[in-house]
Amino acid sequence: MLVGSLAIVSTQLAGVLSTRFTFHNNPEALVASKQMESLGSMDAVTEQVVFTVTDRSLRTPQKLRAMRAVAAAVEALGPQVITKVTSPDSLPQALIARSGNTAVMPVVMAGDINTAYSTITRLLAVTAAADGTAGMDINVTGLASLNEAVNTASERDLQTGEIFGIGLGLIVLLIVFGALVAALIPLILAIAAIIVALALTALVGQFGELSLFVTNMITMMGLAVGIDYALFIVSRFREERAAGVPKLDAIERAGATSGRAVFFSGLTVVVALAGLLVVPLSIFVSLGLGAILVALCAVIAALTLLPALLALLGDNIDRGRMPWSRRPRTSSPTRSFWTKLVERVMARPLVSFLATAALLLAASIPYWGINTGASGITQMPPSTDARIAFETLRSEFSLGDFSPVRIPVLGSAVEQHKEVAKLRAIAQTYPELGPLEIVPSRTATPGVIVQIPMLVDSSSDQAERIIRRLRAATPLPVGGATAFNVEYFDVSDDYLPVVVAIVLTFSFLVLLIAFRSLVVAALAMLLNLLSVGAAFGLLTLVCQNGVGADLLGYQQVHTIEAWLPLFLFAVLFGLSMDYHVFLLSRIRERYLATGDTTGAIAHGISSSARLITGAALIMVAVFAGFSAGSLVMFQQMGFGLGVAVLLDATLVRGILVPAAMRLLGKWNWYLPKWLAWLPEISIEGPSTGKREGTPPPSRR
């Protein structure tokens, strides 16, 4: 599979990835776009070549010759790349800054936005080659060049995340296992899962385009869950071997216990991520699909490739022992920090639960002031060429031609005149809008396109409010880049409760069937909501409000990317359930053997805390690698995921779970008689002789 997957990835993956966002419904901006196409006018993509000097000498013969040379080189790219270049000799005064330091040369790209995305690198190569000529700084900005800058930064951030995550993950694995070979196995499993998932993505992409960012998602989630799943199984195998169990029997027992837990953990992750597939936007479908595929591949690798590796290696898995692990291994749990903590928590369960829950609720408070949207150009580092050019345009010129509002007006000449007059009157009431431009129909369809320059940043909150007010004032469909942003924001907001409902419902059902307990399933929902809420609050506090952002090296913006809350909820809930299933399986395994709920809680948490903490640290390391990138959206995503996993593995699993289960006692395993028909599925392994739905009498 790996050999075949490598061949598929190298030949098929690039052709199915796209940078555009596609709506799977029919929003107003898309209606406007289709009507404009019927009039023969696609959204023309205009890139701005910005010439900057420091001595007000743009009109000198030397500078003019250099600018003409750039224009000639751009024009030589041909009609497949550009359709129009404004000559430096005919630049209107409006395109020369009053300071005399800056001039703008508009370049109209050929074709639609997707064509421009694919050809913009040729324009950028020409301007980069001329940069610095005659003492001029030459930069390019526009929709296509900004998109190229984001993609370049995304690839760089992906490499940073991979190196950072793998490096820190290996360190954590060395600490947990104390042996080099054992530490390398989870990394091998994760990389294998990523390769196969990328190949499957390439195959699925043959039926429809997928977002370019699906590769980032697969790599990040593959490293996180792939390493964790292998960690759980390898640890159980070593535990069985330390107890004297023969090699093949130890592999079977690891598969029958931790392997089953991994299977159901993966199932809960898939169920949670499936909520993203209902959102009618290609980016969410792509991210959800990529995460689901890599989670499934990680589970399959853990249940097939890993047992084969363990059978081949046997006790050689402990080769390369670290100095701190040379003492003899024992299967008996020691009184570690986690053991002492659980004992103290269960000695005062009510106080522990209320205090920790109050802390998490307090952490969630900033979320109620969250401001979602698009950070736009500000998500890029200040040194990015496209951002430098954009900031120059914003400070020296009007941004009106950069992303105008476009409104199609269909109908007879009389109807057109009437509607255009209304639009002109409406536009005059907004100081943020410039004078109207009328673009006639180029087809047999009667109509015109009204273009209204927007004199503010098209990705700003102010621009969004203008679009909403225009839509309220006219029945005509309002289009343009900002209008598509508004549709994207609305989809993200409208589908958040839908995704929440889907994730909660199906996660509850999976846990109910897996553990045959109404209480366990309900408690898991409550605790996961607490940890996710706290993560959202801390994300808002740091990334939006700026508390501690400088210490973490994050760019300060006042907007949380609109897609993040919806995306983070599905991913965080899946990862939280991942740990919860593993922990509960250890607790229930002990409970079924002894009938002692309190003892089972203490044993389950103390025996798995080291693993869960190690697994959480690996995930935090992976997510921290992505948050160390240059793009704001990756910084926000990495921070949100990392802090949520950290909270979940410490406060939730270390305090809330034992406190709540201690308070509930025998009610933890309550299953009403009318649900007795549920299938009996044992995550804990071979039957102990006791019915799962009717626990033995508790000793405490």
Side-chain angles (χ1 to χ4, degrees), residues 24-25 271-282 284-286 288-289 292 491 494-503 506 566 570:
H24 296 162
N25 55 357
V271 165
L273 292 168
L276 294 175
L277 301 182
V278 305
V279 183
L281 195 58
S282 62
F284 288 108
V285 174
S286 297
L289 181 65
I292 287 172
V491 166
D494 293 346
Y495 275 83
L496 180 58
V498 176
V499 171
V500 169
I502 291 173
V503 171
F506 285 99
L566 193 156

Side-chain angles (χ1 to χ4, degrees), residues 199-218:
L200 293 175
T201 300
L203 295 178
V204 173
Q206 304 301 318
F207 301 96
E209 282 184 342
L210 296 172
S211 169
L212 178 69
F213 295 111
V214 70
T215 57
N216 297 68
M217 183 65 171
I218 288 175

Side-chain angles (χ1 to χ4, degrees), residues 516 671-680 691 693-694:
R516 291 181 60 81
L671 184 72
K673 292 182 179 179
W674 56 273
L675 287 176
W677 55 270
L678 288 174
E680 295 191 15
R691 280 184 61 85
T694 56

Side-chain angles (χ1 to χ4, degrees), residues 285-597:
V285 174
S286 297
L287 293 178
L289 181 65
I292 287 172
L293 288 176
V294 79
L296 290 174
C297 289
V299 170
I300 294 170
L303 300 182
T304 57
L305 180 58
L306 181 54
L309 287 175
L310 293 177
L312 288 170
L313 289 171
D315 291 334
N316 287 323
I317 196 173
D318 288 325
R319 291 268 187 174
R321 284 291 188 102
M322 298 295 108
W324 60 82
S325 65
R326 300 209 179 266
R327 64 182 183 274
R329 298 186 57 84
T330 175
S331 60
S332 301
T334 58
R335 283 180 54 79
S336 63
F337 164 80
W338 291 105
T339 303
K340 297 174 183 177
L341 175 64
V342 170
E343 289 175 352
R344 291 180 181 179
V345 167
M346 291 199 296
R348 293 182 175 83
L350 184 59
V351 173
S352 300
F353 184 87
L354 292 178
T356 307
L359 181 63
L360 292 177
L361 287 172
S364 70
I365 290 174
Y367 171 66
W368 303 109
I370 193 171
N371 176 36
T372 58
S375 50
I377 191 70
T378 58
Q379 77 166 302
M380 298 182 195
S383 59
T384 305
D385 290 345
R387 178 169 178 176
I388 292 172
F390 184 90
E391 298 288 0
T392 302
L393 285 180
R394 181 156 55 185
S395 61
E396 299 280 2
F397 303 95
S398 163
L399 293 174
D401 293 332
F402 194 73
S403 183
V405 179
R406 309 188 79 210
I407 304 174
V409 181
L410 304 180
S412 64
V414 174
E415 293 171 329
Q416 294 172 32
H417 180 76
K418 180 180 177 181
E419 293 298 336
V420 169
K422 289 181 181 179
L423 290 173
R424 181 173 284 108
I426 293 171
Q428 288 173 350
T429 64
Y430 298 105
E432 302 89 350
L433 296 176
L436 273 66
E437 177 186 354
I438 309 301
V439 180
S441 174
R442 298 175 183 174
T443 67
T445 303
V448 295
I449 297 173
V450 176
Q451 289 192 167
I452 313 175
M454 190 174 288
L455 308 181
V456 296
D457 185 349
S458 61
S459 63
S460 65
D461 293 340
Q462 191 177 9
E464 178 187 347
R465 287 194 294 271
I466 292 170
I467 293 295
R468 295 190 187 280
R469 290 166 65 186
L470 280 175
R471 286 180 170 177
T474 177
L476 299 174
V478 177
T482 305
F484 271 103
N485 279 346
V486 172
E487 306 291 6
Y488 156 61
F489 301 154
D490 288 345
V491 166
S492 300
D493 292 339
D494 293 346
Y495 275 83
L496 180 58
V498 176
V499 171
V500 169
I502 291 173
V503 171
L504 290 178
T505 300
F506 285 99
S507 297
F508 177 84
L509 291 175
V510 169
L511 285 182
L512 179 63
I513 294 172
F515 293 102
R516 291 181 60 81
S517 169
L518 202 63
V519 175
V520 161
L523 180 62
M525 299 300 103
L526 173 63
L527 298 184
N528 286 345
L529 286 174
L530 280 174
S531 65
V532 171
F536 278 13
L538 293 175
L539 172 67
T540 307
L541 183 68
V542 174
C543 296
Q544 176 181 303
N545 301 342
V547 179
D550 290 339
L551 294 176
L552 296 170
Y554 294 165
Q555 290 190 67
Q556 180 56 49
V557 295
H558 300 288
T559 302
I560 300 297
E561 292 294 321
W563 58 274
L564 269 177
L566 193 156
F567 167 80
L568 286 180
F569 181 84
V571 174
L572 292 179
F573 213 85
L575 296 179
S576 295
M577 296 292 288
D578 190 26
Y579 290 130
H580 203 69
V581 167
F582 184 76
L583 175 60
L584 285 178
S585 68
R586 297 301 292 260
I587 293 174
R588 188 163 172 80
E589 179 183 0
R590 185 73 168 189
Y591 168 71
L592 291 175
T594 65
D596 179 3
T597 297

Side-chain angles (χ1 to χ4, degrees), residues 228 531 535 571-572 575-576 579 612-613 615-620 623 639-651 653:
D228 279 6
S531 65
V571 174
L572 292 179
L575 296 179
S576 295
Y579 290 130
I612 289 180
T613 304
L617 288 177
I618 290 169
M619 282 199 179
V620 171
F623 299 146
F639 177 81
L641 290 170
V643 75
V645 169
L646 200 58
L647 289 174
D648 195 71
T650 54
L651 296 181
R653 306 301 159 216

Side-chain angles (χ1 to χ4, degrees), residues 222-243:
L223 287 173
V225 299
I227 292 175
D228 279 6
Y229 292 163
L231 173 65
F232 294 149
I233 295 176
V234 171
S235 297
R236 187 59 181 252
F237 168 75
R238 297 175 88 214
E239 181 182 319
E240 297 292 340
R241 288 293 291 144

